[in-house]
């Protein structure tokens, strides 16, 4: 058995703010396991936009805290209360998980929440895929009733617009929606990102920095507008979404990259009889059955090579500030990882 040290390195947030509040520490206590938990030695940590919301205080957590929502590594200890019927995981297994306090060398996590990584999927790919992949997969299934496993006939799928189509979550959405048979329009900021969104499979990509997105969407859809919009940009795009969505459309607001959307006057939905959603991944993987079924589908998509996950860069954990700065500065495409 690998000896477990008393202290570890990690990133501690003692007050919310800019990237300067991400403090590298080398004397954090290694978490003590509670009932039902396993201890994971993290190897790769996924960076997600939500990490910036906790850092800035847009989403609150009691101070001080270790931030981070996803990682992959090796199980090094299992609490005696964990039985093999609760979880198949044992010491030495490679696992990926979504949880809290992942910006550190070690994380304690309920055994039920860790997913063994199948042979054929690298630890870095698992860390890069779980949170954004499950978000896109559950949203495509549950919010719009489409499935990459049961594609619609060519041309018969709905018009779907994906904002930030070269980003981490956007890249998954575009690929899954294309597999499912939707007619996908992406938006992306600048020519390089436009190229990546096209490579993801979007049939049309609008450069949001150079073009009039609403006018182009109307042109592409013959004046109808799009049936579904996936919007993780938030404040900056919400009003335009209402303009370019089709009658009876579904507007899925799922993030705040440009800031949170202010409270909405419900009557804005009336002229087109719109549906407005604000889903969270966690509400779609609440039960162990949901979590297991979607995780299996995600790993199957990776193992069969149906999804390409582009890693933007792997930053040393100590340099997490640079990763946040790049993400918030719209300088990235695909997934950002931290290496422990
Ligand atoms: P991305 O990799 O998509 O990065 C964010 C992208 O948003 C940027 O690259 C940029 O792309 C675009 N963007 C547009 N305007 C701005 C702005 N003012 N500031 C910063 N970025 C902007 O990040 P993630 O994939 O991690 O997350 C995407 C969104 O999905 C986030 O809002 C996140 O919170 C949300 N999310 C929500 C989940 C949920 O459960 N509800 C789960 C997972 C993610 P471009 O330059 O091409 O416009």
């Amino acid at each position: 058995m690998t000896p477990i040290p008393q202290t570890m390195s990690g990133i501690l947030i003692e007050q919310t703010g800019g990237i300067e509040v991400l403090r590298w520490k080398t004397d954090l206590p290694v978490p003590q396991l509670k009932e039902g938990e396993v201890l994971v030695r993290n190897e790769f940590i996924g960076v997600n936009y939500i990490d910036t919301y906790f850092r800035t205080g847009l989403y609150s957590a009691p101070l001080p805290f270790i931030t981070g929502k996803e990682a992959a590594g090796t199980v090094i200890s299992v609490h005696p209360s964990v039985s093999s019927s609760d979880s198949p995981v044992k010491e030495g297994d490679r696992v990926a998980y979504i949880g809290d306090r992942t910006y550190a060398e070690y994380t304690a996590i309920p055994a039920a929440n860790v997913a063994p990584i199948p042979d054929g999927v690298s630890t870095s790919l698992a860390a890069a895929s779980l949170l954004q992949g499950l978000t896109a997969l559950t949203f495509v299934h549950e919010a719009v009733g489409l499935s990459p496993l049961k594609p619609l006939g060519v041309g018969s799928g709905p018009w779907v617009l994906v904002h930030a189509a070269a980003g981490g979550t956007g890249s998954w959405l575009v690929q899954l929606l294309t597999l499912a048979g939707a007619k996908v329009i992406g938006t992306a900021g600048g020519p390089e990102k436009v190229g990546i969104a096209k490579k993801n499979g979007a049939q049309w990509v609008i450069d949001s920095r150079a073009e009039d997105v609403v006018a182009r969407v109307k042109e592409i859809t013959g004046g109808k507008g799009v049936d579904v919009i996936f919007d993780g940009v938030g404040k900056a795009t919400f009003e335009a979404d209402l303009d370019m969505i089709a009658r009876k459309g579904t507007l899925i607001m799922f993030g705040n990259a440009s800031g949170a959307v202010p409270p909405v006057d419900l009557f804005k939905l009336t002229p087109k009889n719109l549906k407005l959603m604000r889903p969270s991944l966690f509400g779609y993987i609440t039960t162990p059955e949901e979590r297991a079924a979607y995780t299996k589908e995600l790993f199957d998509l990776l193992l069969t090579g149906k999804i390409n996950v582009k890693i933007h860069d792997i930053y040393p954990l100590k340099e997490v500030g640079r990763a946040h700065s790049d993400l918030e500065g719209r300088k990235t495409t695909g997934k950002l990882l931290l290496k422990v």
Side-chain angles (χ1 to χ4, degrees):
M1 203 184 97
T2 328
I4 301 169
Q6 298 288 309
T7 58
M8 64 176 185
S9 304
I11 302 294
L12 192 69
I13 295 183
E14 289 161 311
Q15 60 183 76
T16 54
I19 58 167
E20 69 286 352
V21 304
L22 296 160
R23 292 276 167 77
W24 169 253
K25 301 273 183 187
T26 53
D27 57 354
L28 296 168
V30 170
Q32 296 291 315
L33 287 187
K34 296 197 202 79
E35 215 166 278
E37 288 184 336
V38 299
L39 189 67
V40 178
R41 186 173 57 229
N42 298 319
E43 194 181 338
F44 292 96
I45 300 160
V47 178
N48 293 287
Y49 222 97
I50 193 170
D51 305 343
T52 71
Y53 306 149
F54 279 105
R55 192 205 73 221
T56 59
L58 178 65
Y59 293 176
S60 65
L63 294 163
F65 66 95
I66 296 171
T67 194
K69 285 277 174 208
E70 148 188 71
T74 306
V75 174
I76 56 156
S77 177
V78 178
H79 191 277
S81 62
V82 177
S83 73
S84 55
S85 59
D86 299 332
S87 164
V89 169
K90 55 186 188 319
E91 277 174 35
D93 283 355
R94 285 189 314 129
V95 294
Y97 63 94
I98 296 171
D100 293 319
R101 296 176 288 281
T102 66
Y103 280 17
E105 273 184 283
Y106 298 91
T107 304
I109 179 93
N113 292 359
V114 300
I117 303 172
D119 292 344
V121 175
S122 67
T123 309
S124 56
L125 178 60
S129 302
L130 206 60
L131 196 147
Q132 293 175 344
L134 285 177
T135 300
L137 193 57
T138 56
F139 286 13
V140 166
H141 274 281
E142 307 259 0
V144 290
L146 294 174
S147 168
L149 302 175
K150 294 185 200 126
L152 300 168
V154 177
S156 65
W159 287 100
V160 182
L161 180 92
V162 177
H163 284 292
T169 311
S171 291
W172 272 93
L173 281 169
V174 169
Q175 292 180 78
L176 291 173
L177 289 161
T178 305
L179 285 172
K183 297 189 276 287
V184 182
I185 306 174
T187 73
E192 191 210 334
K193 290 186 176 186
V194 167
I196 289 166
K198 281 196 180 139
K199 235 171 124 187
N200 286 335
Q203 271 177 279
W204 302 267
V205 184
I206 305 168
D207 184 340
S208 53
R209 288 192 191 258
E211 298 182 84
D212 178 336
V213 176
V214 174
R216 284 282 289 124
V217 164
K218 289 192 176 161
E219 187 191 320
I220 293 164
T221 58
K224 175 182 185 281
V226 279
D227 302 301
V228 177
I229 299 180
F230 283 97
D231 188 338
V233 173
K235 192 176 176 183
T237 41
F238 179 69
E239 292 296 333
D241 290 342
L242 295 174
D243 209 355
M244 62 189 163
I245 197 162
R247 184 174 67 89
K248 300 196 283 182
T250 303
L251 175 50
I252 303 161
M253 303 301 299
F254 66 98
N256 331 288
S258 66
V261 177
V264 177
D265 174 1
L266 286 180
F267 282 109
K268 288 191 170 183
L269 309 178
T270 307
K272 293 181 180 171
N273 279 12
L274 299 179
K275 298 186 200 77
L276 175 62
M277 299 186 68
R278 206 322 182 170
S280 153
L281 163 64
F282 302 103
Y284 288 138
I285 53 166
T286 308
T287 68
E289 293 77 19
E290 287 169 334
R291 190 179 280 258
Y294 281 121
T295 304
K296 181 179 180 321
E297 189 175 338
L298 177 125
F299 281 132
D300 285 348
L301 285 161
L302 294 174
L303 285 165
T304 51
K306 290 193 175 135
I307 296 286
N308 176 45
V309 178
K310 178 183 177 295
I311 311 276
H312 174 76
D313 207 348
I314 302 177
Y315 304 72
L317 175 56
K318 204 175 179 175
E319 294 176 31
V320 61
R322 193 159 57 81
H324 276 216
S325 169
D326 289 349
L327 187 62
E328 292 175 297
R330 299 175 71 171
K331 291 182 190 152
T332 69
T333 56
K335 182 73 185 185
L336 288 69
L337 286 177
L338 305 171
K339 175 92 175 75
V340 181

